Amino acid sequence: VHIKARIPDGKNEYWIHEVAIIDDAIGMDPVLLRRALKFADGSRSHDKKSQRGLGKFGMGLPNSSMSRCRRLEVYSWQKGEVFHTYLDIDEMDKEKYDVIPKPIKTELPAKWIKRCKFKIQKSGTLVIWKNCDRIGWARPKTLIKNCEPRIGRMYRYFIDDGKAKIRLAVFQDKN
């Protein structure tokens, strides 16, 4: 969780500005990356055999993200090759685009690489929520306190099987 300082009424209070989630899973190629941001079109939504567990409807990433922030950026890489695309409510409102932008080849943002406690692998995905204006818990400590049990419950089988380790952290940028 990335936070930005605001000082209401002369008090030092910190509010969530960005949320980032990074993994070292298999990543997505540019075609799948673009599909992942399209509502109801995930990699498993049309395959009857794989419609168990998480990600079967193709709604999670775009729906959960756009319900909490104004801009969603996704970086995904395979074999070290990084692609990036995004959804931006303000740009859509201004009719700057009406389809998900084609993923472009790029580099991972240095600030998020620096904050990782693990070595970036040859594949993975970085999801960044920017301009978070609809997060139910505005303070970072409250967000972590409330998300920790939910995330633990959702991913309990992966954690128990040793397939996932989850770390929640708060970072404060000095402005």
Side-chain angles (χ1 to χ4, degrees):
V1 176
H2 168 252
I3 56 177
K4 183 176 182 178
R6 288 190 194 157
I7 306 174
D9 302 326
K11 295 179 182 176
N12 284 331
E13 293 193 39
Y14 300 96
W15 304 87
I16 295 168
H17 179 66
E18 291 182 354
V19 174
I21 300 99
I22 189 167
D23 70 39
D24 61 353
I26 62 171
M28 295 179 271
D29 64 31
V31 172
L32 184 55
L33 175 56
R34 196 173 192 189
R35 285 181 63 197
L37 297 187
K38 186 176 171 190
F39 287 89
D41 188 16
S43 64
R44 298 172 48 191
S45 59
H46 303 295
D47 182 5
K48 297 261 188 221
K49 290 181 184 177
S50 68
Q51 288 191 349
R52 292 183 181 193
L54 299 173
K56 60 186 169 194
F57 300 114
M59 294 293 288
L61 182 59
N63 193 44
S64 65
S65 300
M66 298 287 72
S67 69
R68 300 293 175 222
C69 66
R70 303 207 54 85
R71 184 177 175 92
L72 163 66
E73 294 188 6
V74 182
Y75 296 80
S76 199
W77 60 99
Q78 295 178 325
K79 299 175 187 167
E81 194 172 56
V82 181
F83 287 89
H84 166 260
T85 192
Y86 67 95
L87 290 175
D88 188 302
I89 290 174
D90 297 320
E91 287 184 13
M92 285 187 266
D93 282 347
K94 294 175 186 168
E95 298 181 7
K96 288 189 176 183
Y97 67 90
D98 58 359
V99 296
I100 295 159
K102 183 178 178 180
I104 58 167
K105 192 172 179 178
T106 188
E107 299 291 324
L108 287 171
K111 96 174 176 183
W112 294 111
I113 293 172
K114 186 171 84 174
R115 290 176 172 163
C116 284
K117 289 285 186 184
F118 60 88
K119 183 180 180 235
I120 300 295
Q121 300 298 314
K122 292 186 182 212
S123 62
T125 300
L126 169 63
V127 174
I128 304 170
W129 292 354
K130 291 188 172 187
N131 304 324
C132 297
D133 61 345
R134 294 178 299 279
I135 290 182
W137 303 291
R139 294 188 177 138
K141 285 182 183 179
T142 310
L143 175 70
I144 294 215
K145 183 181 113 185
N146 286 286
C147 287
E148 193 171 38
R150 290 181 170 124
I151 292 169
R153 185 178 62 240
M154 285 173 39
Y155 294 97
R156 66 187 177 274
Y157 299 116
F158 298 103
I159 295 168
D160 287 346
D161 291 345
K163 294 179 181 175
K165 291 180 184 176
I166 297 173
R167 176 180 166 257
L168 302 173
V170 174
F171 303 97
Q172 178 184 342
D173 285 342
K174 295 177 183 174
N175 293 348

